[in-house]
């Protein structure tokens, strides 16, 4: 089976005044491809997988072609995101992550420029 893999750069989440700088993440994945796909989304904090979400995403233009995962809780220290999908090609998925503080205000947005895309062919 072929896989499309996206992984973010490693980011730091320090404590500021005893509060996490980034407490939550909202993940949005839009299918830009003409076929549906399975999608596995991982959040890794301190080199440990702390959250995994498996979903089916439909082909572009159909209901269900956008996956939204809200309020994923982060830990202090380094963190990153991984997305695995059963479709390959140049940017078949559009990935964005909004990072929010304790008051749910957006403090940073990660777009495709933050992610590296690799196709694993078998």
């Amino acid at each position: 089976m072929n896989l499309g893999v996206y992984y973010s750069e490693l980011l730091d989440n320090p404590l500021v005044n005893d509060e996490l700088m980034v407490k939550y993440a909202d993940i949005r994945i839009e299918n830009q491809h003409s076929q549906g796909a399975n999608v596995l989304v991982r959040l890794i904090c301190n080199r440990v997988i702390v959250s995994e979400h498996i979903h089916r995403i439909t082909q572009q233009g159909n209901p269900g072609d956008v996956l939204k995962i809200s309020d994923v809780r982060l830990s202090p220290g380094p963190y990153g995101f991984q997305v695995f999908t059963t479709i390959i090609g140049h940017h078949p998925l559009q990935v964005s992550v909004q990072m929010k503080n304790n008051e749910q205000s957006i403090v940073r947005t990660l777009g495709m420029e933050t992610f590296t895309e690799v196709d694993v062919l078998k």
Side-chain angles (χ1 to χ4, degrees):
M1 172 186 345
N2 298 329
L3 284 177
V5 180
Y6 300 77
Y7 57 94
S8 72
E9 47 189 65
L10 200 56
L11 305 163
D12 192 29
N13 193 21
L15 288 172
V16 178
N17 297 327
D18 294 327
E19 299 253 344
L20 287 173
M21 188 166 78
V22 178
K23 189 160 187 175
Y24 305 101
D26 288 346
I27 303 164
R28 184 179 190 279
I29 300 172
E30 182 177 351
N31 191 357
Q32 308 264 312
H33 202 274
S34 60
Q35 71 183 51
N38 294 319
V39 177
L40 168 65
V41 180
R42 286 182 176 164
L43 168 61
I44 299 172
C45 294
N46 296 309
R47 295 184 227 153
V48 176
I49 298 168
V50 295
S51 177
E52 285 188 312
H53 302 267
I54 298 174
H55 294 273
R56 177 84 181 150
I57 194 167
T58 62
Q59 68 189 42
Q60 182 182 27
N62 287 315
D65 67 348
V66 175
L67 167 63
K68 295 178 183 176
I69 305 169
S70 298
D71 295 330
V72 178
R73 194 182 266 298
L74 277 77
S75 301
Y79 68 94
F81 297 91
Q82 296 175 334
V83 178
F84 300 86
T85 181
T86 53
I87 54 176
I88 60 171
H90 184 66
H91 299 312
L93 300 180
Q94 192 71 26
V95 181
S96 65
V97 182
Q98 291 184 331
M99 314 307 295
K100 299 187 297 186
N101 63 14
N102 199 36
E103 289 82 37
Q104 296 283 340
S105 298
I106 297 170
V107 294
R108 183 175 185 182
T109 300
L110 308 178
M112 287 301 293
E113 70 282 351
T114 309
F115 288 83
T116 300
E117 178 183 353
V118 179
D119 288 335
V120 179
L121 306 175
K122 185 173 183 183

